[in-house]
Amino acid sequence: MMIGLMAILLLVLLMPLLSRPVESNLEIFMFAMGVSAAFISDVMNPPLFVKAATDPIKITIAVLTAGLLFKWFQKPLHWGISRVIQALSFKVFIALAITVLGMLSSMITAIIAALILVVIVQSLPLDRQSSIRFVILGCFSIGLGAALSPIGEPLSTIAISKLEEDFFFLMRLVGAEIIAALVILGGIAALLIRKSDVKEGLNSPVSNRESYDEIISRSIKVYFFVMGLSLLGEGFEPMINEYFLGLDYSVMYWINMISAILDNATLTAAEISPAMDDVTIKSILLGLLISGGMLIPGNIPNIIAASKLGITSKEWALFGVPFGLLLMAVYFFAVIVR
């Protein structure tokens, strides 16, 4: 059994990086891996299937509803953002945009928050460097803030499901640390982002409205992605009990820097266990959430924003990696080992 689970883990870690078809169809791939892990661990049964099938319903409905609202109100949203930019000073708007968008992401989903971030950056008078920094800081904020509710992003959905906790568990566990990070990110953005007289920022055809087919397709993909992760998490439970429960929580924090190159929801499914204490769970989640912003593949908002705005992997890494390492170090000493 362990050999089979190790083989699946290696496939989950490597195939999205090595295979373009797998990367393009990640949701179906993760669903197949989840089913395989559940069968190998001999945990597949009707109750588990029902649980895995119902876990994604709330986030799927949230993604679908938010996607439709964004489509219907994209023009008024763009107009409203332009008016707010005119009403506030540039630095104040930058700080508020990063912080508030992160806080809202737990309600409107990380996907829609990323699309709004794209609209905002295209409305600002920024050069390319400042635009990229604004987007990266915004994605750090969205990735962190979306974890505060189980409808914000797949990571939080999977964590709540595996731990069998209530809607507000993550808010109680990591809420203070995440909200502090959102405020800090807003302040850093205000210091680093500079207004430009000549707009040479990120322009792309993102303003074209998504079709209903795209919105529905994205919602269906999210459903099967989360269902697959639920099955994957249950299937990996024997391996977690064997190899992860004995690790020190500070070690788990740094190990999860691998989230920079892998979607952090996948790692949540593979690592989190209800047998862990709250300190270990907090360390795992913070390590995944912070490092998930360092590179484009680490989190859903990164992927959406980079693809919509044409940001290259190198451009993202030049700012995202050193900033992410700094944030990881600050939280390690301020929260993990205090």
Side-chain angles (χ1 to χ4, degrees):
M1 179 178 67
M2 286 298 176
I3 294 176
L5 291 177
M6 289 295 291
I8 290 177
L9 180 61
L10 288 174
L11 288 173
V12 167
L13 294 177
L14 297 177
M15 289 303 292
L17 302 176
L18 301 177
S19 172
R20 183 59 61 87
V22 169
E23 184 184 10
S24 302
N25 299 278
L26 183 62
E27 298 84 2
I28 303 304
F29 173 74
M30 293 306 303
F31 178 75
M33 291 296 97
V35 171
S36 300
F39 274 112
I40 288 175
S41 296
D42 197 25
V43 296
M44 179 63 84
N45 53 47
L48 173 60
F49 184 84
V50 171
K51 180 177 182 295
T54 54
D55 280 345
I57 291 176
K58 289 181 180 179
I59 189 172
T60 302
I61 292 173
V63 168
L64 177 60
T65 303
L68 291 172
L69 291 173
F70 183 81
K71 175 179 175 62
W72 295 334
F73 297 102
Q74 185 171 346
K75 284 187 177 180
L77 176 65
H78 201 294
W79 177 85
I81 290 170
S82 298
R83 293 296 297 269
V84 174
I85 291 173
Q86 295 172 7
L88 298 175
S89 72
F90 179 78
K91 293 292 186 182
V92 170
F93 176 81
I94 291 294
L96 286 177
I98 296 294
T99 301
V100 172
L101 200 54
M103 291 181 178
L104 288 177
S105 62
S106 64
M107 296 178 283
I108 64 175
T109 77
I111 293 172
I112 302 306
L115 292 175
I116 294 174
L117 176 67
V118 170
V119 174
I120 291 174
V121 76
Q122 290 189 318
S123 303
L124 291 170
L126 301 174
D127 59 28
R128 185 171 182 85
Q129 183 185 57
S130 287
S131 294
I132 291 171
R133 289 181 175 181
F134 181 81
V135 170
I136 294 173
L137 291 171
C139 286
F140 268 105
S141 180
I142 292 168
L144 286 160
L148 293 177
S149 85
I151 64 171
E153 61 179 348
L155 176 148
S156 51
T157 305
I158 294 303
I160 290 295
S161 173
K162 287 203 67 179
L163 298 172
E164 298 182 350
E165 291 286 353
D166 62 89
F167 189 93
F168 297 102
F169 172 75
L170 293 178
M171 174 65 82
R172 295 193 300 270
L173 182 68
V174 293
E177 290 82 2
I178 286 178
I179 291 172
L182 302 186
V183 174
I184 291 170
L185 287 167
I188 292 173
L191 292 174
L192 294 182
I193 308 304
R194 297 181 179 181
K195 190 175 182 179
S196 175
D197 294 329
V198 180
K199 180 174 172 55
E200 298 176 350
L202 304 172
N203 293 303
S204 74
V206 68
S207 56
N208 297 335
R209 292 190 177 187
E210 293 181 302
S211 68
Y212 286 107
D213 287 345
E214 290 173 315
I215 294 171
I216 293 171
S217 174
R218 181 173 61 214
S219 302
I220 293 172
K221 286 181 177 180
V222 167
Y223 177 87
F224 281 104
F225 182 61
V226 175
M227 184 176 180
L229 291 178
S230 294
L231 294 171
L232 192 73
E234 293 296 329
F236 277 164
E237 194 67 29
M239 190 165 63
I240 295 172
N241 294 336
E242 180 74 20
Y243 298 111
F244 285 85
L245 288 182
L247 291 177
D248 185 81
Y249 61 89
S250 61
V251 174
M252 292 295 296
Y253 178 81
W254 288 108
I255 284 176
N256 280 325
M257 278 182 58
I258 195 174
S259 176
I261 59 172
L262 293 168
D263 183 84
N264 52 27
T266 304
L267 293 171
T268 301
E271 294 180 10
I272 292 288
S273 169
M276 295 174 173
D277 58 38
D278 285 355
V279 174
T280 301
I281 295 170
K282 177 185 285 191
S283 299
I284 289 173
L285 290 177
L286 287 176
L288 290 172
L289 290 167
I290 296 172
S291 57
M294 292 167 65
L295 295 172
I296 291 174
N299 209 354
I300 288 177
N302 312 0
I303 298 169
I304 291 175
S307 63
K308 295 287 188 182
L309 294 168
I311 301 174
T312 67
S313 296
K314 181 179 180 180
E315 287 176 320
W316 193 289
L318 284 174
F319 181 74
V321 170
F323 180 79
L325 288 172
L326 176 61
L327 197 58
M328 287 281 290
V330 168
Y331 264 73
F332 181 73
F333 291 107
V335 177
I336 305 301
V337 297
R338 64 177 180 177

